[in-house]
Amino acid sequence: MLRLCLSFALMLTMGQALAQSPVVGEWKRISATIDHQGQKVDMHAALLQQRPCVAKVVYRITADGNYRVDTSQSGCDDKYRSIQEKLYSKMRWKVQGQRITLSTLSDFSVGQTYTFSVSGNRMTWTGTEGQGVTVFQRQ
């Protein structure tokens, strides 16, 4: 019984930590910059030239640990929407200090990790393994 109570208390504490995380909310990506052959390239800007609808895609980070993409109001074609939503359909997130990790595995043994900061309605992720810098704006 004590073990059950401790497990419940731990789950409650973890749930509260996720709910209080500054990353929880709805976000739109406004830039995704990488270094390519010594130059900074904004991959998001390049994608917007090909698919302007991407400007309306919403990234939803929920308190229950889910990280989803919502393309329903983007105006993007059905094929693109389907691919994007499938890619993010099992994505989870966790925060440890100033690091956020995304993974489709519940144990996060494989994933992408970024350092993050939130200032006002902007959130910046900097890849820890050369993924570049992504900036989001809160919706």
Side-chain angles (χ1 to χ4, degrees), residues 60-74:
R60 188 167 288 124
I61 304 175
T62 60
D64 62 1
N66 288 313
Y67 181 81
R68 300 290 186 267
V69 64
D70 180 358
T71 62
S72 64
Q73 302 301 310
S74 68

PDB file of all heavy atoms in Angstrom, residues 60-74:
ATOM      1  N   ARG A  60       1.575  21.820 -30.804  1.00  0.00           N
ATOM      2  CA  ARG A  60       0.861  21.771 -29.528  1.00  0.00           C
ATOM      3  C   ARG A  60       1.657  20.926 -28.545  1.00  0.00           C
ATOM      4  O   ARG A  60       1.853  19.727 -28.745  1.00  0.00           O
ATOM      5  CB  ARG A  60      -0.530  21.188 -29.766  1.00  0.00           C
ATOM      6  CG  ARG A  60      -1.431  21.274 -28.562  1.00  0.00           C
ATOM      7  CD  ARG A  60      -2.878  20.973 -28.927  1.00  0.00           C
ATOM      8  NE  ARG A  60      -3.429  22.090 -29.702  1.00  0.00           N
ATOM      9  CZ  ARG A  60      -3.968  21.959 -30.920  1.00  0.00           C
ATOM     10  NH1 ARG A  60      -4.045  20.795 -31.502  1.00  0.00           N
ATOM     11  NH2 ARG A  60      -4.448  23.013 -31.549  1.00  0.00           N
ATOM     12  N   ILE A  61       2.113  21.566 -27.476  1.00  0.00           N
ATOM     13  CA  ILE A  61       2.872  20.886 -26.421  1.00  0.00           C
ATOM     14  C   ILE A  61       1.951  20.853 -25.206  1.00  0.00           C
ATOM     15  O   ILE A  61       1.627  21.887 -24.631  1.00  0.00           O
ATOM     16  CB  ILE A  61       4.183  21.632 -26.107  1.00  0.00           C
ATOM     17  CG1 ILE A  61       5.020  21.779 -27.386  1.00  0.00           C
ATOM     18  CG2 ILE A  61       4.956  20.913 -25.012  1.00  0.00           C
ATOM     19  CD1 ILE A  61       6.276  22.610 -27.224  1.00  0.00           C
ATOM     20  N   THR A  62       1.516  19.652 -24.841  1.00  0.00           N
ATOM     21  CA  THR A  62       0.499  19.526 -23.797  1.00  0.00           C
ATOM     22  C   THR A  62       1.099  19.071 -22.468  1.00  0.00           C
ATOM     23  O   THR A  62       2.163  18.443 -22.431  1.00  0.00           O
ATOM     24  CB  THR A  62      -0.601  18.539 -24.232  1.00  0.00           C
ATOM     25  OG1 THR A  62      -0.017  17.263 -24.480  1.00  0.00           O
ATOM     26  CG2 THR A  62      -1.308  19.034 -25.488  1.00  0.00           C
ATOM     27  N   ALA A  63       0.398  19.376 -21.401  1.00  0.00           N
ATOM     28  CA  ALA A  63       0.871  19.064 -20.050  1.00  0.00           C
ATOM     29  C   ALA A  63       0.985  17.563 -19.802  1.00  0.00           C
ATOM     30  O   ALA A  63       1.703  17.148 -18.901  1.00  0.00           O
ATOM     31  CB  ALA A  63      -0.062  19.696 -19.013  1.00  0.00           C
ATOM     32  N   ASP A  64       0.305  16.752 -20.615  1.00  0.00           N
ATOM     33  CA  ASP A  64       0.392  15.303 -20.424  1.00  0.00           C
ATOM     34  C   ASP A  64       1.594  14.688 -21.139  1.00  0.00           C
ATOM     35  O   ASP A  64       1.749  13.479 -21.183  1.00  0.00           O
ATOM     36  CB  ASP A  64      -0.901  14.610 -20.856  1.00  0.00           C
ATOM     37  CG  ASP A  64      -1.214  14.783 -22.333  1.00  0.00           C
ATOM     38  OD1 ASP A  64      -0.432  15.432 -23.065  1.00  0.00           O
ATOM     39  OD2 ASP A  64      -2.269  14.277 -22.765  1.00  0.00           O
ATOM     40  N   GLY A  65       2.469  15.531 -21.701  1.00  0.00           N
ATOM     41  CA  GLY A  65       3.702  15.046 -22.315  1.00  0.00           C
ATOM     42  C   GLY A  65       3.631  14.810 -23.811  1.00  0.00           C
ATOM     43  O   GLY A  65       4.590  14.337 -24.409  1.00  0.00           O
ATOM     44  N   ASN A  66       2.515  15.148 -24.438  1.00  0.00           N
ATOM     45  CA  ASN A  66       2.398  14.969 -25.885  1.00  0.00           C
ATOM     46  C   ASN A  66       2.910  16.193 -26.636  1.00  0.00           C
ATOM     47  O   ASN A  66       2.769  17.322 -26.170  1.00  0.00           O
ATOM     48  CB  ASN A  66       0.947  14.703 -26.290  1.00  0.00           C
ATOM     49  CG  ASN A  66       0.485  13.339 -25.875  1.00  0.00           C
ATOM     50  OD1 ASN A  66       1.177  12.348 -26.089  1.00  0.00           O
ATOM     51  ND2 ASN A  66      -0.681  13.263 -25.253  1.00  0.00           N
ATOM     52  N   TYR A  67       3.495  15.938 -27.795  1.00  0.00           N
ATOM     53  CA  TYR A  67       3.979  16.993 -28.690  1.00  0.00           C
ATOM     54  C   TYR A  67       3.376  16.682 -30.056  1.00  0.00           C
ATOM     55  O   TYR A  67       3.746  15.708 -30.696  1.00  0.00           O
ATOM     56  CB  TYR A  67       5.507  16.969 -28.741  1.00  0.00           C
ATOM     57  CG  TYR A  67       6.136  18.022 -29.625  1.00  0.00           C
ATOM     58  CD1 TYR A  67       6.310  19.314 -29.165  1.00  0.00           C
ATOM     59  CD2 TYR A  67       6.571  17.714 -30.907  1.00  0.00           C
ATOM     60  CE1 TYR A  67       6.905  20.281 -29.953  1.00  0.00           C
ATOM     61  CE2 TYR A  67       7.165  18.676 -31.712  1.00  0.00           C
ATOM     62  CZ  TYR A  67       7.326  19.958 -31.231  1.00  0.00           C
ATOM     63  OH  TYR A  67       7.916  20.914 -32.025  1.00  0.00           O
ATOM     64  N   ARG A  68       2.405  17.488 -30.464  1.00  0.00           N
ATOM     65  CA  ARG A  68       1.669  17.213 -31.692  1.00  0.00           C
ATOM     66  C   ARG A  68       1.732  18.416 -32.629  1.00  0.00           C
ATOM     67  O   ARG A  68       1.974  19.534 -32.205  1.00  0.00           O
ATOM     68  CB  ARG A  68       0.196  16.903 -31.398  1.00  0.00           C
ATOM     69  CG  ARG A  68      -0.023  15.702 -30.504  1.00  0.00           C
ATOM     70  CD  ARG A  68       0.329  14.401 -31.224  1.00  0.00           C
ATOM     71  NE  ARG A  68       0.005  13.239 -30.434  1.00  0.00           N
ATOM     72  CZ  ARG A  68       0.840  12.630 -29.622  1.00  0.00           C
ATOM     73  NH1 ARG A  68       2.061  13.087 -29.456  1.00  0.00           N
ATOM     74  NH2 ARG A  68       0.487  11.565 -28.949  1.00  0.00           N
ATOM     75  N   VAL A  69       1.465  18.127 -33.896  1.00  0.00           N
ATOM     76  CA  VAL A  69       1.361  19.185 -34.885  1.00  0.00           C
ATOM     77  C   VAL A  69      -0.094  19.232 -35.333  1.00  0.00           C
ATOM     78  O   VAL A  69      -0.739  18.196 -35.501  1.00  0.00           O
ATOM     79  CB  VAL A  69       2.326  18.960 -36.074  1.00  0.00           C
ATOM     80  CG1 VAL A  69       1.996  17.714 -36.843  1.00  0.00           C
ATOM     81  CG2 VAL A  69       2.350  20.150 -36.997  1.00  0.00           C
ATOM     82  N   ASP A  70      -0.619  20.445 -35.447  1.00  0.00           N
ATOM     83  CA  ASP A  70      -1.998  20.636 -35.895  1.00  0.00           C
ATOM     84  C   ASP A  70      -1.953  21.396 -37.212  1.00  0.00           C
ATOM     85  O   ASP A  70      -1.598  22.573 -37.248  1.00  0.00           O
ATOM     86  CB  ASP A  70      -2.799  21.405 -34.849  1.00  0.00           C
ATOM     87  CG  ASP A  70      -4.247  21.623 -35.257  1.00  0.00           C
ATOM     88  OD1 ASP A  70      -4.647  21.214 -36.366  1.00  0.00           O
ATOM     89  OD2 ASP A  70      -4.990  22.225 -34.461  1.00  0.00           O
ATOM     90  N   THR A  71      -2.290  20.696 -38.285  1.00  0.00           N
ATOM     91  CA  THR A  71      -2.290  21.302 -39.616  1.00  0.00           C
ATOM     92  C   THR A  71      -3.706  21.601 -40.102  1.00  0.00           C
ATOM     93  O   THR A  71      -3.889  22.042 -41.224  1.00  0.00           O
ATOM     94  CB  THR A  71      -1.602  20.364 -40.630  1.00  0.00           C
ATOM     95  OG1 THR A  71      -2.338  19.145 -40.693  1.00  0.00           O
ATOM     96  CG2 THR A  71      -0.159  20.089 -40.246  1.00  0.00           C
ATOM     97  N   SER A  72      -4.700  21.372 -39.248  1.00  0.00           N
ATOM     98  CA  SER A  72      -6.098  21.429 -39.677  1.00  0.00           C
ATOM     99  C   SER A  72      -6.519  22.796 -40.218  1.00  0.00           C
ATOM    100  O   SER A  72      -7.360  22.865 -41.106  1.00  0.00           O
ATOM    101  CB  SER A  72      -7.030  21.005 -38.534  1.00  0.00           C
ATOM    102  OG  SER A  72      -6.929  21.910 -37.448  1.00  0.00           O
ATOM    103  N   GLN A  73      -5.946  23.872 -39.716  1.00  0.00           N
ATOM    104  CA  GLN A  73      -6.321  25.213 -40.164  1.00  0.00           C
ATOM    105  C   GLN A  73      -5.260  25.848 -41.067  1.00  0.00           C
ATOM    106  O   GLN A  73      -5.313  27.036 -41.352  1.00  0.00           O
ATOM    107  CB  GLN A  73      -6.555  26.113 -38.941  1.00  0.00           C
ATOM    108  CG  GLN A  73      -7.614  25.606 -37.983  1.00  0.00           C
ATOM    109  CD  GLN A  73      -8.968  25.452 -38.655  1.00  0.00           C
ATOM    110  OE1 GLN A  73      -9.442  26.361 -39.323  1.00  0.00           O
ATOM    111  NE2 GLN A  73      -9.580  24.287 -38.495  1.00  0.00           N
ATOM    112  N   SER A  74      -4.297  25.043 -41.509  1.00  0.00           N
ATOM    113  CA  SER A  74      -3.165  25.583 -42.266  1.00  0.00           C
ATOM    114  C   SER A  74      -3.475  25.870 -43.729  1.00  0.00           C
ATOM    115  O   SER A  74      -2.835  26.720 -44.338  1.00  0.00           O
ATOM    116  CB  SER A  74      -1.988  24.610 -42.202  1.00  0.00           C
ATOM    117  OG  SER A  74      -2.294  23.419 -42.911  1.00  0.00           O
TER     118      SER A  74
END
